[in-house]
Amino acid sequence: MDPYKYLKIRFNPDGSLCRYGEAPLLPAAPAGEPVAIEDDQGARRIAVHSNDVPLNDATGTGLRLFVPSGSGGHHDRLPLIVYFHGGGYVLFRAASEPFHNTCTALAAAAPAAVASVDYRLAPEHRLPAAFEDAADAVLWARPHAAAGRPVFVMGSHNGASIAFRAALAAADAGVELRGVILNQPHLGGAARSPAEAASVDDRVLPLPANDLLWELALPVGADRDHEYCNPESMVTRVGAARLRRLPPCLVLGRRKDPPRDRTRTLVNALRKAGVAVEARLDGAGYHAMELFKANYAAEFTAQVADFVRRHSSADTDTDTGASAGDVVGMSKL
């Protein structure tokens, strides 16, 4: 297969990428968009407001903020989820339809304020650019954590690896996180794992496309054993003492996801370092199925919402956290 054709990318004369097959970019919805949810209060609809704000003017990064209206009785103190979208470091934006919709659903279901980071993409901005943007996002969230709001970092696919780096940056900067959510981390290595070797014709992440994404994302001259890709190299470089400072982690995986062997390596390393890890690695289906199928999306949203609620519970009855209106004010909704 031609991985460029599969990913719908080609190089421009200046070395940048033309991304000609991406999902539509959705506008923010300051007036709110309705989301149907069903929880212990029954079936209802919640309006989720969104708006775009700058993160770092020097790098051109930003945030799309999602805030639910009517958070429902005792949930009047909203946690904050700092979210990193997927796309192999090369594709998609915070405004891309699948990830905009994911954040809208999460904001309504948790309920929570969600700050989706529009980080820089490779190969125009190779790693560690996205990790640097993650550190900026953590500093943006610092006042919320300092005010007592439960703050989480979360990512899907390669965004999970960015969220992992964001959690380390938070620990280094003294920003208290309540939890880390890693959904199907996009990891790799030079030697093929059994799952990777069997993924040549994978229906979502075929091996040639996977290899190309890493080739475009990693620093020039680096191979897939680089610490930005290989979890064994990563945890060795980070060290057990630094890993031990991470908050509880929820790690989600799927039985037919090509990076699944690498995810288990990461989970084992975190547990060995003493991190509290909830690992649910046997989800049905292929890579990123929650973006394509409504039933997988509902299961995924429920898992994340449950984790956020449980690890926010210590603050739900206090007066120290900022209210939903505070995030709305920051987003200029």
Side-chain angles (χ1 to χ4, degrees), residues 247-251 266-271 274-280:
C249 296
L250 172 65
V251 185
L266 177 60
V267 166
N268 291 338
L270 291 173
R271 285 176 169 164
V275 180
V277 179
E278 298 178 35
R280 303 178 186 182

Side-chain angles (χ1 to χ4, degrees), residues 142-207:
R142 187 206 295 269
H144 299 281
R149 178 190 296 275
V151 176
F152 299 78
V153 295
M154 173 183 175
S156 290
H157 323 136
N158 74 285
S161 296
I162 302 175
F164 178 81
R165 295 283 175 170
L168 293 173
D172 293 342
V175 179
E176 181 185 356
L177 298 178
R178 287 305 187 85
V180 179
I181 302 158
L182 308 178
N183 176 38
Q184 303 164 74
H186 187 194
L187 302 164
R192 306 296 189 196
S193 71
E196 289 164 353
S199 70
V200 174
D201 297 317
D202 185 81
R203 63 192 300 177
V204 178
L205 190 62
L207 191 58

Side-chain angles (χ1 to χ4, degrees), residues 56-316:
N56 185 326
D57 290 337
T59 57
T61 54
L63 302 166
R64 175 160 288 188
L65 303 180
F66 299 80
V67 183
S69 293
S71 56
H74 59 284
H75 285 298
D76 61 343
R77 302 291 183 182
L78 293 177
L80 171 65
I81 301 172
V82 180
Y83 177 83
F84 301 91
H85 65 79
Y89 299 104
V90 172
L91 303 171
F92 301 117
R93 304 285 303 276
S96 296
E97 183 176 30
F99 298 106
H100 173 98
N101 290 343
T102 292
C103 291
T104 301
L106 286 173
V114 179
S116 183
V117 183
D118 200 30
Y119 57 86
R120 290 171 290 171
L121 298 178
E124 294 90 345
H125 304 282
R126 291 176 176 268
L127 294 175
F131 301 152
E132 294 165 353
D133 299 340
D136 286 343
V138 164
L139 295 179
W140 174 88
R142 187 206 295 269
H144 299 281
R149 178 190 296 275
V151 176
F152 299 78
V153 295
M154 173 183 175
S156 290
H157 323 136
N158 74 285
S161 296
I162 302 175
F164 178 81
R165 295 283 175 170
L168 293 173
D172 293 342
V175 179
E176 181 185 356
L177 298 178
R178 287 305 187 85
V180 179
I181 302 158
L182 308 178
N183 176 38
Q184 303 164 74
H186 187 194
L187 302 164
R192 306 296 189 196
S193 71
E196 289 164 353
S199 70
V200 174
D201 297 317
D202 185 81
R203 63 192 300 177
V204 178
L205 190 62
L207 191 58
N210 196 0
D211 286 351
L212 177 58
L213 289 171
W214 283 118
E215 180 183 334
L216 296 173
L218 289 169
V220 174
D223 66 16
R224 293 190 304 275
D225 281 336
H226 193 280
E227 63 170 301
Y228 297 159
C229 178
N230 189 316
E232 294 183 19
S233 301
M234 178 176 63
V235 297
T236 298
R237 182 66 178 267
V238 171
R242 196 172 172 213
L243 289 175
R244 200 172 297 120
R245 297 162 62 192
L246 294 177
C249 296
L250 172 65
V251 185
L252 302 176
R254 298 199 179 275
R255 290 194 293 271
K256 296 182 180 180
D257 190 16
R260 61 189 179 273
D261 297 331
R262 311 288 183 179
T263 300
R264 293 185 185 279
T265 297
L266 177 60
V267 166
N268 291 338
L270 291 173
R271 285 176 169 164
K272 185 177 180 181
V275 180
V277 179
E278 298 178 35
R280 303 178 186 182
L281 305 182
D282 292 321
Y286 295 82
H287 185 75
M289 287 298 289
E290 74 280 359
L291 301 181
F292 309 123
K293 300 287 186 179
N295 58 328
Y296 290 102
E299 177 189 50
F300 164 71
T301 301
Q303 289 173 326
V304 174
D306 173 70
F307 181 83
V308 169
R309 290 191 199 108
R310 285 188 287 109
H311 291 277
S312 299
S313 60
D315 286 281
T316 54

